[in-house]
Amino acid sequence: MSSSTPPFPPVSLTERRKAETRMEIARAAAGLFVRQGLKATRAEDIAQAAGIAPRTFYRYFAAKEEAVVPLYEAGARRWVEAVRAAPPGTSVPQALEDAVRSTLRPGAGMSSDSWVWARTLIRLAHSNPSLRRVWAEVCQTSERALAEVLAARVPVGAAAGDNDAEHADRAAHVDDAGSADSADSADSAERVDGAAVDARLRFAAAVAIAAVRAAVEAWAADEGTGEDPPGPAELAVANLAALRDFPWDALTES
């Protein structure tokens, strides 16, 4: 995948409808988990609340815990997309911090009910191994997506040079041979573009995702006993300070 390609590419009408159905099921599941708890909720209960047949539920999700994946993904998607949409010239630390300020607040693309559900679901993930696994997998996927966004914002000198040389070698090989297998060509392009996500950028993405994850988990676990406890955005910005001294400029000089 090219580093300039959005991590969440446009989808067809059919895929959008499927996504809408998934989200409807997710909201139904979240509502039941919040009201009656995870253990007391069956997949059949979720299907009934969503107005679908149990067999339809299982076409979308393998287990009841997985039904809330779309809600977990929605928050991660908004944040990663906000980083990608940051104005050109914005430093990466600033883009990361601005993104959490604009997305990790009530009303930032989420209804009040969804905000309450998200907090409860993250809290439930702490105490339930199955739900914790689902939450961890969403965070891992977001880490890969953010790494690609960072690769587009921070052109790594060595990676860019290697890509140019390898693409040139590939073109020469095709000219000499007269033809090349299209599948092999596509596979080669993916490998070339994948190499452009420098290991240091993958590390930075992992740190950024961990910073945000720790923040929202701390916020979700807070019972609100303090007078004015910090919200997830404030906690995330404080954690992201760890990346302000990351050698971003050195990457472009590699």
Side-chain angles (χ1 to χ4, degrees):
M1 178 183 293
S2 171
S3 60
S4 62
T5 301
F8 305 107
V11 294
S12 67
L13 177 59
T14 299
E15 291 302 315
R16 285 201 298 272
R17 287 175 176 168
K18 288 181 180 179
E20 289 170 1
T21 300
R22 281 170 55 84
M23 184 58 76
E24 289 172 4
I25 297 172
R27 293 192 180 106
L32 290 173
F33 291 169
V34 169
R35 289 192 298 272
Q36 62 189 40
L38 183 65
K39 289 184 178 180
T41 301
R42 303 173 304 161
E44 291 77 10
D45 299 328
I46 298 171
Q48 183 177 15
I52 60 174
R55 66 177 180 277
T56 302
F57 174 90
Y58 285 112
R59 281 207 299 267
Y60 286 92
F61 303 103
K64 64 180 182 181
E65 292 86 357
E66 294 181 10
V68 295
V69 164
L71 287 172
Y72 284 148
E73 289 177 335
R77 183 190 302 265
R78 280 192 299 274
W79 180 57
V80 173
E81 286 297 296
V83 176
R84 184 175 67 85
T90 304
S91 69
V92 173
Q94 190 65 52
L96 293 171
E97 293 176 18
D98 288 348
V100 296
R101 289 190 183 98
S102 65
T103 60
L104 292 184
R105 295 182 186 278
M110 291 179 68
S111 66
S112 297
D113 286 344
S114 294
W115 195 250
V116 172
W117 291 342
R119 186 172 195 171
T120 303
L121 290 173
I122 294 170
R123 186 181 296 164
L124 285 173
H126 177 72
S127 58
N128 183 276
S130 296
L131 206 55
R132 185 163 62 246
R133 175 184 56 79
V134 171
W135 168 237
E137 288 176 354
V138 169
C139 292
Q140 187 176 44
T141 299
S142 300
E143 181 182 312
R144 292 194 296 269
L146 181 60
E148 293 177 4
V149 169
L150 296 185
R153 298 194 68 89
V154 184
V156 179
D162 291 345
N163 280 351
D164 291 343
E166 191 162 349
H167 279 302
D169 289 344
R170 179 69 177 176
H173 174 73
V174 171
D175 287 342
D176 290 341
S179 64
D181 181 81
S182 59
D184 180 63
S185 298
D187 182 60
S188 177
E190 289 174 2
R191 289 198 301 270
V192 170
D193 292 335
V197 182
D198 184 86
R200 292 162 295 181
L201 288 181
R202 292 198 297 269
F203 170 77
V207 172
I209 292 295
V212 175
R213 177 179 178 177
V216 297
E217 288 178 352
W219 163 74
D222 193 316
E223 298 294 339
T225 55
E227 292 183 4
D228 188 21
E234 290 76 15
L235 292 170
V237 168
N239 290 349
L240 286 168
L243 285 172
R244 290 176 187 168
D245 294 328
F246 188 78
W248 302 106
D249 291 341
L251 296 180
T252 63
E253 300 167 0
S254 299

